[in-house]
Amino acid sequence: MSPNINQQELLTTIKLQQQASNPKNSVFVAASAGSGKTKILTDRVLRLLLNDIRPNQILCLTFTKVAAFEMKNRIYKELSEWSIITESQLQNRIFNLTAQNCSNSLLKKARSLFVRVLDDGEGLKINTIHAFCQTLMAKFPIESNIKPNFSIIDSQKENKLLLQAKDMLLKE
């Protein structure tokens, strides 16, 4: 956020971020780098977990591996902190997340979420769009019109194949 932002703009921004992170709202977030998109998505995932959505039912897609890694780290860090911070600190965090006071049962649930996410067989699915598509193709190779045992080539093999193709074309 800009250092020149005034108090009213800050409150408006926080309110908009809370609305965007609310899983009950259908939202589209388009913003420049560093504007808080990852925070909104992270908060949305935390709120889904607090609303009893199983970790393996949550899918987050990003454009880059770095963004996926960052989002996953933020979620796990927050959940791990929830399990050890004081009750008043946890109440404040949940209030800042949801703009609502929380009950004792919600506090108890929040404290157990870290273990719940770790124990879930599949866990949170936070991937790049490419990784997600690769997973779909692996699950549905016939529908994807590819061989069931396909593999994605790495950039080194890709360069080698391109050179071979160029050599073949030049020889013809």
Side-chain angles (χ1 to χ4, degrees):
M1 288 192 201
S2 169
N4 297 330
I5 196 166
N6 69 36
Q7 191 70 19
Q8 186 59 40
E9 289 173 327
L10 180 61
L11 291 173
T12 301
T13 300
I14 291 170
K15 187 171 183 156
L16 287 171
Q17 286 179 335
Q18 284 178 335
Q19 288 173 346
S21 72
N22 187 340
K24 293 178 181 172
N25 297 332
S26 178
V27 296
F28 178 85
V29 178
S32 60
S35 61
K37 293 183 302 294
T38 302
K39 172 157 179 31
I40 290 170
L41 292 172
T42 299
D43 288 354
R44 193 171 177 97
V45 169
L46 293 170
R47 290 177 76 166
L48 284 166
L49 293 168
L50 283 171
N51 286 318
D52 294 322
I53 302 299
R54 292 193 335 260
N56 65 6
Q57 292 180 307
I58 299 172
L59 172 65
C60 299
L61 298 178
T62 68
F63 287 106
T64 67
K65 290 178 186 177
V66 172
F69 182 77
E70 176 66 23
M71 187 181 305
K72 193 176 277 190
N73 273 352
R74 287 186 191 189
I75 292 167
Y76 282 101
K77 181 179 184 291
E78 187 68 17
L79 291 176
S80 70
E81 289 175 3
W82 285 5
S83 65
I84 60 172
I85 60 178
T86 67
E87 188 170 307
S88 64
Q89 289 173 319
L90 183 55
Q91 285 174 333
N92 287 337
R93 294 239 186 132
I94 292 175
F95 181 80
N96 290 338
L97 179 68
T98 65
Q100 297 175 349
N101 292 320
C102 58
S103 63
N104 286 334
S105 63
L106 186 60
L107 286 173
K108 186 176 178 182
K109 183 192 305 180
R111 288 206 184 279
S112 67
L113 279 175
F114 185 53
V115 172
R116 184 174 159 205
V117 170
L118 291 176
D119 283 348
D120 188 279
E122 294 178 47
L124 293 169
K125 292 181 280 292
I126 302 174
N127 294 315
T128 62
I129 295 168
H130 288 87
F132 174 69
C133 291
Q134 182 179 343
T135 302
L136 281 180
M137 290 168 51
K139 284 185 179 181
F140 304 103
I142 295 168
E143 293 84 350
S144 302
N145 200 26
I146 57 173
K147 294 179 183 177
N149 60 348
F150 82 98
S151 64
I152 303 294
I153 61 172
D154 60 27
S155 57
Q156 188 177 19
K157 176 120 180 174
E158 177 186 8
N159 290 336
K160 183 178 177 182
L161 289 172
L162 282 172
L163 287 174
Q164 287 176 351
K166 285 178 187 177
D167 286 346
M168 286 173 46
L169 282 172
L170 291 174
K171 286 178 183 176
E172 286 181 16

